[in-house]
Amino acid sequence: MRTLDNPHGLHIDVDGSGPPLVLLHGWAMHGGVFAPLVDRLQAQRSVYRVDLPGHGASRDSTLPLALAPVVDALVEVLPAAPWLGWSLGGLFALHAAAAHPARVPALTMLCASPCFVRGDGWTHGMSAEIFRDFETGLRTDYRGTLDRFIALEAFGSDDPKGELRALRAEVFARGEPAAGVLADGLALLEKTDLRAQLPTLRVPSLWLAGRRDRLVDPRAMQAAAALAPDASADTVAHAGHAPFLTHADAVAARLLDFTDFHVSR
């Protein structure tokens, strides 16, 4: 493993060899959470794992946790490659694919939605109050709030205890994420709506859901895929919100098939 130097204070791990692939983590986590997936990809891919600003080893990055500045900074330093975004990371990956299709020639949304909150014409999102409750909780019970969110991520998996242990072990593995940045991330999840970018998306996309996910309804991902011109939707049976932990073989196989077909030929 090596670290990719960049002027923005972003920590980017690089593992393996072969065509490049970029992985973006979810709220409160860091690139290290993808270790089981990297183990299965690194023989065939050069995997770039990004710690988003304020998270993990990017805690001191001066970049705000906002779509445009983070994506613009990443496309400056990363090779042209498919991007995979898990949960919150999916918003960054989708924005990158829409804004920089030459740099992001294929997109995988893993348990991620263009709009996480339900509203008019979008019935499969979460209630906005859930995100506001977590934001309030960060101010009153920081660690307890993180633990409640992690428990919600693990709920529904066929191995909830194992997934919960893995997520708890990772959340502070690279230091505590900054509370202010976590609030910014919750605001992104609550307020961002990228559905308008889907009909004009110029790169192929894979929308890979966990059938038992309680944070991102698989029906939301199917609805999003239906809005994009070159998209496919698939579901990992028995998986919750983090299928790369409990079903890493299935996620890796689907991801390799998708990128082999669309990019690495």
Side-chain angles (χ1 to χ4, degrees):
M1 182 174 68
R2 63 185 177 89
T3 301
L4 182 67
D5 293 330
N6 65 91
H8 308 289
L10 292 172
H11 183 83
I12 304 172
D13 288 326
V14 188
D15 301 89
S17 60
L21 174 68
V22 176
L23 306 181
L24 297 177
H25 62 82
W27 185 77
M29 291 293 167
H30 51 77
V33 77
F34 288 118
L37 188 57
V38 173
D39 287 344
R40 290 156 175 82
L41 294 173
Q42 60 185 349
Q44 301 181 60
R45 295 290 186 273
S46 296
V47 184
Y48 292 73
R49 289 182 286 170
V50 177
D51 284 7
L52 293 170
H55 294 73
S58 296
R59 180 184 173 89
D60 296 326
S61 173
T62 57
L63 285 171
L65 190 68
L67 299 187
V70 172
V71 166
D72 289 347
L74 288 175
V75 297
E76 287 179 11
V77 299
L78 291 171
W83 285 27
L84 176 149
W86 168 53
S87 197
L88 172 65
L91 294 177
F92 292 90
L94 176 53
H95 178 78
H100 303 280
R103 304 293 299 170
V104 185
L107 166 70
T108 298
M109 297 286 279
L110 179 60
C111 298
S113 173
C115 182
F116 283 78
V117 173
R118 65 173 173 260
D120 292 341
W122 193 249
T123 59
H124 301 306
M126 298 178 67
S127 167
E129 285 72 22
I130 292 176
F131 294 108
R132 295 170 193 161
D133 288 346
F134 279 117
E135 189 171 356
T136 299
L138 287 176
R139 296 192 292 268
T140 59
D141 183 10
Y142 173 87
R143 283 181 172 265
T145 298
L146 283 177
D147 200 57
R148 285 195 296 119
F149 191 89
I150 290 169
L152 187 59
E153 289 182 314
F155 185 75
S157 168
D158 63 351
D159 183 18
K161 291 183 179 179
E163 189 168 325
L164 185 59
R165 283 195 301 270
L167 290 169
R168 280 174 171 165
E170 287 294 343
V171 66
F172 296 125
R174 296 184 178 181
E176 289 191 1
V181 170
L182 293 183
D184 292 341
L186 289 173
L188 278 176
L189 289 168
E190 177 190 346
K191 298 174 182 177
T192 304
D193 185 352
L194 300 182
R195 286 177 292 165
Q197 296 184 355
L198 296 178
T200 57
L201 195 63
R202 289 183 283 168
V203 305
S205 58
L206 169 65
W207 299 75
L208 189 56
R211 187 175 301 280
R212 297 178 176 177
D213 192 344
R214 295 299 183 268
L215 279 175
V216 178
D217 192 318
R219 293 172 294 180
M221 300 187 65
Q222 293 163 3
L227 295 174
D230 186 8
S232 58
D234 202 353
T235 303
V236 181
H238 311 298
H241 188 62
F244 56 88
L245 293 178
T246 56
H247 299 76
D249 288 334
V251 174
R254 190 67 184 88
L255 181 59
L256 289 170
D257 286 346
F258 172 70
T259 52
D260 279 343
F261 182 80
H262 289 288
V263 179
S264 304
R265 289 180 291 176

